[in-house]
Amino acid sequence: SADFVNSKVKDLGNLTTIGGSANFRDSQVENLGNLTTIGLSADFNRSKKLKNLGKLTTIGGNANFENSQVINLGNLIKIEGGAEFRNSKIENLGNLKKIGGYALFRKSRIKNLGNLTEIVGDASFGDSFTDLGNLTTIGGNADFNNSEIRNLGNLTKIGGGADFRNSQAINLGSLTTIKGDVRFNRSEITDLRNLTTIGGDAYFDGSKITDLVNLTTIGGYVDFRYSQVENLGNLTTIKDDADFSHSKVIDLGNLTTIGGYADFRSSKVKDLGNLTKIGGTIIFGDRTDLKKEWEKRKNK
C-alpha cells in the first residue's frame, strides 16, 4: 500500500504499479507519472493538487473522488469496487467502462457517463445528468428517486430493485428485466416498453401506467390499488399476493396464476378470465358475481 496523506511528494515519476491501496487524502501529489495500476482501493478525498489520473487504467478496489480536485479520469477503464462521485469536480467518465461495486452519482457534477457500460452493484442517480448513455447493466438496486434521468438509453437489466418515484423518465426504453422490487409511484413513466420480468414486488398505485404491455411475470406482491392500470397485457403470473381493490383493471387477460391472496373488493374486474390458480385467500367483498364464478370453477 502507498500512503500519501499530508505528503509533500508531487510526482510519482516512473512508478507503474501500487499493489495494494493508495491514499491521496490531503496530499500534494500533482502527477501520477507512469502509474497504470492500483491493486486495491484509491482514496482521492480532499486531494489538493491532482487533477488528471493520467495513465492510470485500473483501480482494483473502491475509488473515492469526494471533495477532490480531480476533473479528468484520464485512461481509467476499470474500477473493480465501488465509486463515490458525490461533491467531486468530475463531469465526464471518459474511458471508464466498468464499476465493479456501487456507484454514487447524487450531488455530483457528472454530465456524461461516457463509455460506462456496467455497474455491478447499486447505483444512485441525482440531478446532474439526464441520459444513461451506453450503460447496459446495473447489477444491484437502481435509485432514480428524485433524479433528472429522462432516458434509460441502452439499459437492459437491473439485477436488484428499482425506485422510479418522482423521477423524470417517461418510458423504460430497452429495459427487459428488473429482478427486485419496483416502485412506479408518483413517477412520470407511462410506457413499460420491453419490460418482461419483475422479480419482486411491484407498486403501481399513484403511477401513470395504463398498460403492462410485454410484462409476463411479477415475482412478488403487486399493488394495483387506485392505479391507472387498465390492461394487464401479457401478464401470466403473479407469484405472491395481488390487490385489485379500487383499481381500473377490467379484464385479467392472460393471467393464470396468483400465488398468494387475491383482493377483488370494489374492483372493476368483470370476470376471472383465464385464472386457474390462487394460492391464498380470495377476498371478494361485495363482488358476489366473482365469488360465484370461482365456486363453480373450483367444483369442476
Side-chain angles (χ1 to χ4, degrees):
S1 298
D3 193 343
F4 299 98
V5 174
N6 297 317
S7 168
K8 294 182 180 180
V9 173
K10 294 184 178 181
D11 194 324
L12 301 192
N14 293 318
L15 184 66
T16 61
T17 303
I18 296 174
S21 59
N23 190 348
F24 296 96
R25 280 182 178 243
D26 300 302
S27 76
Q28 299 295 319
V29 175
E30 297 178 4
N31 190 339
L32 296 185
N34 291 317
L35 188 67
T36 61
T37 305
I38 296 173
L40 297 176
S41 296
D43 191 350
F44 299 98
N45 192 340
R46 300 197 309 271
S47 58
K48 297 178 180 179
K49 300 289 182 69
L50 186 64
K51 294 184 178 181
N52 192 319
L53 298 190
K55 297 178 180 181
L56 187 67
T57 62
T58 304
I59 295 174
N62 297 333
N64 185 358
F65 297 100
E66 188 174 10
N67 300 312
S68 76
Q69 298 301 310
V70 176
I71 58 175
N72 191 325
L73 297 184
N75 292 316
L76 191 65
I77 296 174
K78 287 189 300 184
I79 296 173
E80 295 290 1
E84 169 70 86
F85 296 101
R86 285 185 300 182
N87 300 314
S88 76
K89 294 186 177 181
I90 298 166
E91 295 185 357
N92 190 320
L93 298 188
N95 297 313
L96 187 65
K97 292 183 178 180
K98 176 184 177 182
I99 296 175
Y102 60 83
L104 300 181
F105 297 107
R106 288 196 183 277
K107 297 182 180 179
S108 77
R109 297 186 187 183
I110 290 173
K111 297 178 180 178
N112 191 321
L113 294 185
N115 293 318
L116 188 68
T117 60
E118 181 181 11
I119 297 171
V120 176
D122 298 340
S124 178
F125 300 96
D127 56 4
S128 56
F129 56 96
T130 61
D131 191 328
L132 295 186
N134 296 311
L135 189 67
T136 61
T137 305
I138 297 173
N141 298 317
D143 185 1
F144 298 101
N145 194 346
N146 290 307
S147 78
E148 293 293 325
I149 301 296
R150 292 176 172 81
N151 187 345
L152 300 190
N154 296 314
L155 188 67
T156 60
K157 177 183 176 182
I158 296 175
D163 189 347
F164 293 100
R165 288 178 295 178
N166 305 305
S167 69
Q168 301 301 311
I170 295 174
N171 65 67
L172 297 187
S174 301
L175 190 64
T176 62
T177 305
I178 300 172
K179 289 196 171 181
D181 298 344
V182 186
R183 292 189 175 275
F184 293 110
N185 333 47
R186 303 189 303 279
S187 76
E188 295 298 317
I189 292 171
T190 58
D191 189 351
L192 299 185
R193 290 280 176 96
N194 299 300
L195 189 69
T196 60
T197 305
I198 294 174
D201 300 340
Y203 297 87
F204 295 96
D205 53 308
S207 78
K208 296 182 179 181
I209 296 164
T210 60
D211 192 332
L212 301 191
V213 198
N214 295 306
L215 187 65
T216 62
T217 305
I218 296 174
Y221 160 76
V222 61
D223 189 353
F224 291 116
R225 291 176 301 169
Y226 302 102
S227 75
Q228 301 300 311
V229 175
E230 297 177 359
N231 190 337
L232 298 188
N234 292 321
L235 188 67
T236 61
T237 306
I238 297 170
K239 293 187 177 180
D240 204 336
D241 305 330
D243 197 337
F244 293 94
S245 60
H246 303 285
S247 75
K248 292 187 177 182
V249 176
I250 296 174
D251 189 341
L252 297 185
N254 298 309
L255 187 66
T256 62
T257 304
I258 296 174
Y261 75 70
D263 190 344
F264 293 104
R265 288 176 296 179
S266 301
S267 76
K268 294 184 178 181
V269 175
K270 60 184 180 182
D271 60 57
L272 297 179
N274 295 308
L275 193 64
T276 58
K277 177 184 176 182
I278 297 177
T281 303
I282 310 172
I283 307 172
F284 293 109
D286 54 353
R287 295 303 306 275
T288 54
D289 53 334
L290 294 184
K291 184 175 182 180
K292 289 178 181 177
E293 181 186 347
W294 184 249
E295 291 297 328
K296 288 179 182 178
R297 191 168 296 191
K298 278 200 312 180
N299 294 328
K300 281 186 178 181

